[in-house]
Amino acid sequence: MHKLLLGCNGRGAQHIPGAPPSIDEQFHMVKASGVFDFFDRMPQPGQESEYLRASEKHDLPMLTGLWTYTAGRDEALLLKNLRLTKDSGGLCHNIMLFRDHADGHALSDAEVVAFYRLAYEEAARLDIEITFEVHIYMWSEDVRRVLPVAQQVRAAGMPFNFLLDHSHVLIKLENPEEQDLCGIRADVEAGQLILDPYEAGNIVDSWIAENMTLWHAVRPVAPNGPRNLWARHPDGQLGRACQYPFLRPRPGEWHSDWFAYKLEPSKEVVRKVLQAHLQNENSRLRYITTEIIDLPDYGDGARYSLFEHSVALAQWIRETEAKLRASVVTGGALESATQ
């Protein structure tokens, strides 16, 4: 079975959110930690040569990266970024496609599939891969759309390559306000859409069963967690609750109460993803990244070290994979491997 590659999101290679060290130091930090296989970020505009030099100097490849796109406006940018991914040694480019078209209408599933086709065919020509992500603000924030789009992509003769970021699902667990933002509240309350990863028939389990996840982005998040009280968007709105500290914050590092048990749903999804991979010789999972980052909906304004928490999360992922791998070899059950 192929080795899973573990990367650190470049936005997590900083201690103080909003005050990142030099690009060279970011690569040094990630390499010196000894727990990561690669640096997860595209070379940023105007800094391409600096990223390439740092990657070569520290022998730390940039295997994955992402960008956000608006259909009807950013098709040329997409093609440019796919070429940049290839030229910088990347293997996979993640696409976050906004819900709305440039002209303001909400994208149909068919329009999402058309954007996927454009990206997939160009990536295939360049001999790299793409993924489409489940993410707030994007077409996939309504998580009910993911499988229908995947089915349409397959019907068109292409594999559906998925990036599973469970934080954008669990943020809506126990949170009617978040559910209302994408219109899923009625289905959740009727039991037709299950968000809890511990319940049978939940949406994440259905995605895992499809064996369509190439990339698992791991961010700790708390069901009905606190909004980011220390960061606001340009319109004045508080940041959403997409990130929860992985370690107990020291006094003054976090704006709200912290409880270790609230991390368990996130950890459970990671265990399920890893278990499915280890039990399937044909697993399509290739990349796992830690996603403890800045930005208002995440860690902007926080006073804990994003990198300290990223390293701790990476160590936990590696330890969990080792336990599960040992359990698979000995024929043990998932529960025995995760105690």
Side-chain angles (χ1 to χ4, degrees):
M1 181 173 291
H2 60 267
K3 176 187 175 183
L4 292 179
L5 298 172
L6 180 59
C8 180
N9 187 301
R11 287 187 174 274
Q14 55 183 314
H15 292 294
I16 303 172
S22 69
I23 293 168
D24 182 79
E25 179 60 19
Q26 292 173 40
F27 277 80
H28 170 72
M29 289 165 58
V30 174
K31 181 70 174 184
S33 72
V35 293
F36 294 107
D37 299 306
F38 66 95
F39 195 92
D40 167 38
R41 202 169 197 201
M42 280 184 56
Q44 298 297 287
Q47 299 176 311
E48 292 88 350
S49 61
E50 293 179 67
Y51 275 87
L52 290 170
R53 282 197 301 269
S55 176
E56 181 177 4
K57 175 182 175 180
H58 297 286
D59 188 27
L60 189 67
M62 294 176 285
L63 299 184
T64 62
L66 63 83
W67 210 260
T68 58
Y69 300 96
T70 297
R73 186 191 70 193
D74 292 334
E75 285 76 4
L77 176 61
L78 169 67
L79 301 182
K80 177 183 176 181
N81 283 344
L82 290 171
R83 168 52 64 181
L84 176 58
T85 298
K86 176 68 174 181
D87 291 346
S88 59
L91 300 178
C92 186
H93 181 65
N94 180 51
I95 292 163
M96 295 163 52
L97 181 62
F98 282 108
R99 183 198 63 183
D100 293 342
H101 189 275
D103 66 13
H105 78 268
L107 294 177
S108 67
D109 287 357
E111 288 173 310
V112 174
V113 173
F115 201 91
Y116 184 98
R117 178 185 286 280
L118 174 67
Y120 177 82
E121 291 181 347
E122 178 63 11
R125 191 181 70 79
L126 294 170
D127 195 28
I128 61 175
E129 293 183 301
I130 61 161
T131 50
F132 265 35
E133 182 173 1
V134 56
H135 200 283
I136 58 172
Y137 308 118
M138 307 300 156
W139 68 273
S140 52
E141 177 159 13
D142 180 347
V143 295
R144 297 169 300 183
R145 299 184 68 185
V146 172
L147 283 181
V149 165
Q151 291 161 1
Q152 289 186 38
V153 165
R154 291 168 179 164
M158 300 171 287
F160 184 69
N161 299 339
F162 186 50
L163 189 154
L164 170 57
D165 183 338
H166 59 259
S167 70
H168 295 287
V169 180
L170 298 184
I171 186 180
K172 300 185 181 300
L173 181 58
E174 300 181 6
N175 193 322
E177 179 183 356
E178 274 289 338
Q179 295 163 21
D180 283 339
L181 290 175
C182 58
I184 64 173
R185 182 175 178 180
D187 277 1
V188 170
E189 292 180 349
Q192 296 174 350
L193 174 62
I194 299 173
L195 303 175
D196 186 344
Y198 288 98
E199 283 199 51
N202 70 81
I203 188 70
V204 172
D205 278 357
S206 71
W207 294 339
I208 293 173
E210 293 286 323
N211 191 26
M212 62 189 187
T213 302
L214 269 65
W215 179 346
H216 185 196
V218 180
R219 178 183 298 107
V221 67
N224 199 21
R227 299 195 72 160
N228 188 356
L229 303 180
W230 287 346
R232 291 182 181 272
H233 290 279
D235 64 2
Q237 290 291 314
L238 287 172
R240 293 164 75 177
C242 288
Q243 186 167 299
Y244 196 74
F246 187 71
L247 302 171
R248 172 175 288 281
R250 301 176 185 92
E253 288 187 340
W254 177 241
H255 50 68
S256 300
D257 291 334
W258 185 89
F259 302 94
Y261 78 91
K262 289 190 174 182
L263 293 170
E264 285 307 309
S266 290
K267 290 182 175 181
E268 179 68 3
V269 174
V270 176
R271 288 189 285 257
K272 287 186 172 193
V273 169
L274 290 172
Q275 185 80 354
H277 169 72
L278 293 170
Q279 292 180 332
N280 182 0
E281 293 182 358
N282 298 313
S283 169
R284 302 185 66 221
L285 184 66
R286 294 291 182 274
Y287 314 105
I288 299 179
T289 50
T290 59
E291 302 285 333
I292 299 176
I293 65 172
D294 53 8
L295 300 178
D297 296 319
Y298 307 93
D300 259 6
R303 296 161 195 165
Y304 61 86
S305 166
L306 301 181
F307 189 63
E308 179 186 8
H309 286 235
S310 297
V311 170
L313 175 57
Q315 291 169 335
W316 178 85
I317 291 169
R318 290 205 181 276
E319 292 166 1
T320 300
E321 182 189 4
K323 290 178 182 178
L324 291 170
R325 189 177 293 275
S327 179
V328 169
V329 169
T330 60
L334 173 61
E335 288 77 14
S336 67
T338 56
Q339 296 301 310

